[in-house]
Amino acid sequence: MVHLENLSKIYRTKRGEIKALDDVSLHIEQGEFVVVRGHSGSGKTTLLLTIGGMLRPSMGNIVVDGKDIYSMGDRRRANFRAENIGFVFQMFHLIPYLNVVENVILSSHSGKKKTPEAKKLLERLNISGRETHKPSELSAGERQRTAIARALLNQPKLVLADEPTGNLDPENAAEAVGYLSEYHRNGGTVVVVTHGEAVDQFADRIVHLKEGKIQQMEDNG
Ligand code: ADP
Ligand code: MG
């Protein structure tokens, strides 16, 4: 599903170059749940953004679902992303002036037609009754569940999550990760990057990242 070959990413800043990814090669099978673990600054977000088609690597190749995503034009890559990849972020990234349902259908090309499906998903994710609330009127757990509903609405082949439990208490963290795990049990491919250990129990494989390099991979089950 995801093939990374000799991936490097160098950020060029006024104070010099930062090598955020250093020759990373990784193959993720369809239906795998992979956790990428590393300390802050180890390159986790950079890795996730490059897999997601949002950040071009400095060197190397990325093939997602058989497509060399950075050989596509920007618009095609954006469409590919919308159709195939769901994203979940630590800070939820909900649009403050849209309500819960509107936030969930935002990621869909078919827009309002998806409202019934969005409502069903919200029910499944234990946020029914909050459809017309704005994000500011939700708890952190409800915000993240809304964001997960948004990520899952298009039934993506791949879900990428960046510290999805970073702003949640243990109970809400377990619930949020439980929905990612359910999506995985139904055949989805999941990559979670995190510095914590809360997600490990669901992982097929744990990849340890340090200073932009893969240090170790463990099968987990
Ligand atoms: P993590 O998500 O594991 O904390 P990041 O991928 O965010 O790590 O960052 C990896 C390294 O790249 C860090 O040293 C960070 O400071 C640097 N970095 C991240 N984004 C940028 C950027 N846009 N410009 C310059 N340096 C960056
Ligand atoms: Mg990060």
Side-chain angles (χ1 to χ4, degrees):
M1 170 61 60
V2 178
H3 297 281
L4 310 178
E5 292 285 356
N6 307 112
L7 206 67
S8 294
K9 176 69 190 180
I10 296 163
Y11 291 111
R12 294 194 164 79
T13 69
K14 280 179 201 153
R15 273 171 285 137
E17 294 188 341
I18 294 165
K19 199 163 205 177
L21 293 177
D22 188 359
D23 201 26
V24 169
S25 295
L26 178 64
H27 301 277
I28 297 170
E29 300 298 326
Q30 185 165 348
E32 232 190 325
F33 192 130
V34 172
V35 167
V36 177
R37 212 156 82 200
H39 294 301
S40 177
S42 59
K44 302 181 300 294
T45 295
T46 302
L47 181 68
L48 209 68
L49 293 175
T50 54
I51 295 173
M54 294 187 286
L55 183 67
R56 186 179 290 277
S58 308
M59 273 174 288
N61 268 322
I62 304 182
V63 175
V64 178
D65 196 30
K67 309 279 184 324
D68 180 349
I69 54 174
Y70 289 98
S71 71
M72 296 176 179
D74 288 350
R75 178 174 294 196
R76 252 188 76 214
R77 191 165 63 254
N79 284 334
F80 176 82
R81 206 162 59 214
E83 282 163 19
N84 296 292
I85 306 179
F87 293 92
V88 180
F89 303 95
Q90 177 174 5
M91 307 295 286
F92 322 128
H93 290 207
L94 299 170
I95 308 290
Y97 52 84
L98 296 179
N99 70 31
V100 165
V101 174
E102 290 164 342
N103 264 289
V104 172
I105 63 175
L106 190 67
S107 62
S108 169
H109 287 316
S110 18
K112 283 225 159 67
K113 266 188 263 168
K114 286 268 189 174
T115 301
E117 238 174 293
K119 286 187 171 167
K120 226 168 95 186
L121 198 53
L122 287 166
E123 202 169 306
R124 175 70 203 100
L125 268 66
N126 197 17
I127 359 175
S128 47
R130 297 281 183 279
E131 281 95 342
T132 58
H133 288 228
K134 300 280 166 62
S136 63
E137 299 161 349
L138 302 175
S139 71
E142 288 165 341
R143 285 181 209 183
Q144 193 57 306
R145 297 206 296 280
T146 301
I148 292 171
R150 177 184 59 191
L152 298 181
L153 183 69
N154 293 333
Q155 298 179 291
K157 293 182 181 138
L158 176 64
V159 168
L160 304 175
D162 191 350
E163 308 272 9
T165 61
N167 280 310
L168 303 179
D169 58 58
E171 208 172 298
N172 277 297
E175 186 174 359
V177 175
Y179 294 119
L180 295 179
S181 170
E182 181 178 304
Y183 157 83
H184 167 243
R185 284 196 304 276
N186 291 327
T189 309
V190 184
V191 182
V192 178
V193 306
T194 177
H195 66 271
E197 296 176 12
V199 193
D200 285 7
Q201 55 173 316
F202 298 105
D204 296 318
R205 193 150 52 117
I206 301 170
V207 176
H208 296 266
L209 197 66
K210 188 180 180 187
E211 293 168 9
K213 281 184 192 291
I214 292 180
Q215 263 208 320
Q216 191 196 339
M217 293 199 217
E218 306 168 55
D219 282 328
N220 192 40

